[in-house]
Amino acid sequence: MQNPEVDIIDLSHDGRGVARIDGKTVFVAGALPGERVRLGRVQRHRNFDEASAEEILVRSPQRIEPRCAHFGTCSGCSLQHLSPEAQIAAKQHVLAENFERIGKVVPGRWLDPLGGEPWGYRRKGRLSVKWVAKKDKALVGFREVNPRFVADLARCHTLLPEVGERLADLGALVGALEARAEIAQIEIAAGDETVALTFRNLRPLSEGDRAALVAFGQRHGLAILLQPGGPDSVAPLWPDDVSLSFRIPASDIDIAFRPLDFIQVNAGMNQRMIARALELLDLARGDRVLDLFCGLGNFTLPIARVAGDVVGVEGEAALVARSRENAVRNGIANAQFHAADLAADQRGTAWAQAGYDKLLLDPPRSGAAAVLDYLPRKGTDRVVYVSCHPGSLARDAGTLVTQHGFRLVAAGVMDMFPHTAHVESIALFER
């Protein structure tokens, strides 16, 4: 059947519409639940098919006009055609479905979704760079939906404006360099006062190229760094000293970081997320808290302002060193930090054997399954779990409920990445 018409019955985890033809699932790019669409070319697979929406026959009332001219080509966003209110509702639906299907659990109550400014929010990111000789042009942007190609972007509305409005300028800058074919990517990192661009240069740059980068940074007020090798090779080009930090005003905390360090991408949402985590932990001055996957101390240091003691554990030793530096920077003496591979069994360590009243988990996408083999220990009656992947959260929620005797008291989503299908969430467990 050529160009079949289908009804869209759901939204997939990656933001595509879901339909069924003769019982087989079809993922439809550009389609929304409640719509009837005519499909473009269907790519057939054994267990599912893929297609795009060639024509919208019945339009969802939640469909809006995408702001970005590159929507549908660039892979950076997949939900700009869905209203912001409907986006966050769809993410809460994804979380609920994962809880029920994977974890076999249901929250006692749903937390109000946390939302914020949907544009210009992205303070951390990695731009791909590609010199295209046939076009005599350097492309700077995110990958296309077909990841073999870099999207030809003029601007990005989700990046902070200091960078998002200058993608064409960055392309022109790279295209004029002698080493234009050896610039692989540009890492964006923004503190409260400074926006830094780290250029990954695959060969040493000439004096002319270095001067061009410095002039660009000076003209636009951007710090410029070079990365000729691994992460430890990053060094400032202009100015001589690049200092990055962000404040958490509610806790009177200032966190310093380096350009390649992990920080939460959305500054405003990070503030609201920390506040919610502290509220759910319900801290008292005598509490002893364990913060696993603590990074730079994004949660650990605010917890230390309220609790008696807090122990942060992180797998990357460099981040642990900077966590300790940030504790000193903020005059915090009741926080300890340890470096440990949390994907391995750490039950024999002193920090894992200690007693804690409360536990905060903020793991990577893979979740905290290895940790839950030996934690939380007896005496820990409250767990707050911050998640960037609903599937691993749902799996771990099932473990906490069935193996550790907890109840899933509350859960909700936080729109850390508006216009994308990324689901950031938080859950409270008690026993």
Side-chain angles (χ1 to χ4, degrees):
M1 181 177 180
Q2 296 298 313
N3 302 107
E5 297 179 9
V6 297
D7 293 315
I8 305 300
I9 59 174
D10 203 353
L11 199 66
S12 72
H13 68 90
D14 60 2
R16 293 183 291 177
V18 179
R20 287 196 171 83
I21 298 178
D22 298 328
K24 191 177 185 181
T25 298
V26 185
F27 296 106
V28 186
L32 296 174
E35 294 187 331
R36 185 167 181 82
V37 305
R38 178 174 288 113
L39 300 182
R41 186 172 66 89
V42 177
Q43 293 181 302
R44 304 197 180 279
H45 305 279
R46 181 173 181 177
N47 297 317
F48 63 91
D49 292 336
E50 296 177 288
S52 60
E54 184 176 88
E55 182 181 359
I56 308 296
L57 303 172
V58 176
R59 182 185 178 96
S60 167
Q62 297 172 330
R63 177 179 285 274
I64 61 173
E65 192 65 28
R67 175 182 287 198
C68 182
H70 309 291
F71 178 74
T73 301
C74 174
S75 65
C77 297
S78 59
L79 293 177
Q80 279 195 30
H81 58 322
L82 185 61
S83 71
E85 300 78 16
Q87 287 184 34
I88 202 162
K91 294 176 183 185
Q92 190 121 313
H93 172 72
V94 169
L95 180 60
E97 191 273 336
N98 275 263
F99 274 141
E100 294 181 25
R101 179 174 55 86
I102 299 173
K104 314 299 182 190
V105 293
V106 178
R109 62 185 172 92
W110 284 102
L111 302 167
D112 291 338
L114 292 183
E117 171 55 52
W119 303 108
Y121 64 85
R122 189 162 189 164
R123 64 175 174 176
K124 193 79 165 70
R126 179 175 296 163
L127 298 172
S128 296
V129 180
K130 186 171 180 61
W131 168 251
V132 183
K134 290 182 179 180
K135 294 184 177 182
D136 192 32
K137 183 178 183 179
L139 303 181
V140 177
F142 296 107
R143 292 283 170 176
E144 290 188 1
V145 174
N146 181 341
R148 293 181 301 162
F149 303 105
V150 176
D152 189 355
L153 305 184
R155 61 179 51 84
C156 173
H157 297 286
T158 62
L159 287 171
L160 71 166
E162 292 91 331
V163 180
E165 294 297 319
R166 295 192 173 114
L167 295 187
D169 294 335
L170 279 168
L173 168 68
V174 173
L177 299 178
E178 296 172 40
R180 56 184 174 265
E182 279 77 40
I183 303 296
Q185 63 195 34
I186 303 171
E187 187 93 15
I188 306 161
D192 290 347
E193 305 296 333
T194 303
V195 179
L197 300 181
T198 300
F199 288 75
R200 177 76 174 93
N201 54 303
L202 302 180
R203 76 173 198 195
L205 299 184
S206 68
E207 287 303 313
D209 281 359
R210 294 167 71 92
L213 290 172
V214 168
F216 184 88
Q218 292 174 334
R219 185 164 61 252
H220 296 293
L222 300 167
I224 306 295
L225 302 96
L226 298 178
Q227 184 191 352
D232 292 338
S233 71
V234 174
L237 181 61
W238 183 86
D240 293 336
D241 180 37
V242 177
S243 297
L244 296 171
S245 66
F246 63 88
R247 286 194 59 75
I248 305 171
S251 300
D252 190 23
I253 296 290
D254 188 66
I255 293 184
F257 65 98
R258 297 186 185 179
L260 301 191
D261 286 347
F262 172 82
I263 61 170
Q264 294 291 348
V265 75
N266 187 323
M269 184 53 60
N270 187 49
Q271 306 285 346
R272 290 184 280 277
M273 178 176 68
I274 292 168
R276 175 154 286 181
L278 294 179
E279 175 190 355
L280 294 177
L281 281 169
D282 191 24
L283 296 166
R285 178 50 64 185
D287 283 340
R288 183 170 170 78
V289 183
L290 178 62
D291 176 13
L292 297 183
F293 310 95
C294 70
L296 288 163
N298 189 56
F299 290 107
T300 327
L301 300 178
I303 288 171
R305 291 288 196 217
V306 186
D309 293 286
V310 59
V311 174
V313 185
E314 162 63 38
E316 191 175 333
L319 290 182
V320 172
R322 287 194 273 287
S323 296
R324 292 174 178 147
E325 292 168 1
N326 278 316
V328 173
R329 177 187 181 95
N330 289 278
I332 290 173
N334 62 331
Q336 300 177 32
F337 295 93
H338 301 278
D341 178 4
L342 292 172
D345 189 338
Q346 298 290 336
R347 75 185 72 203
T349 60
W351 63 260
Q353 293 178 355
Y356 301 97
D357 302 292
K358 291 162 185 179
L359 168 65
L360 186 136
L361 297 164
D362 183 18
R365 289 177 59 85
S366 55
V371 167
L372 296 182
D373 283 343
Y374 54 93
L375 291 171
R377 289 165 56 84
K378 185 178 179 180
T380 304
D381 58 9
R382 184 173 288 242
V383 174
V384 171
Y385 192 131
V386 178
S387 168
C388 60
H389 190 274
S392 58
L393 170 59
R395 178 202 64 211
D396 294 345
T399 300
L400 284 166
V401 170
T402 60
Q403 297 182 27
H404 292 280
F406 282 86
R407 294 175 293 114
L408 175 54
V409 175
V413 295
M414 305 173 290
D415 207 6
M416 185 69 73
F417 290 83
H419 310 298
T420 78
H422 178 95
V423 180
E424 190 91 8
S425 54
I426 192 167
L428 169 64
F429 300 86
E430 292 180 352
R431 66 178 173 189

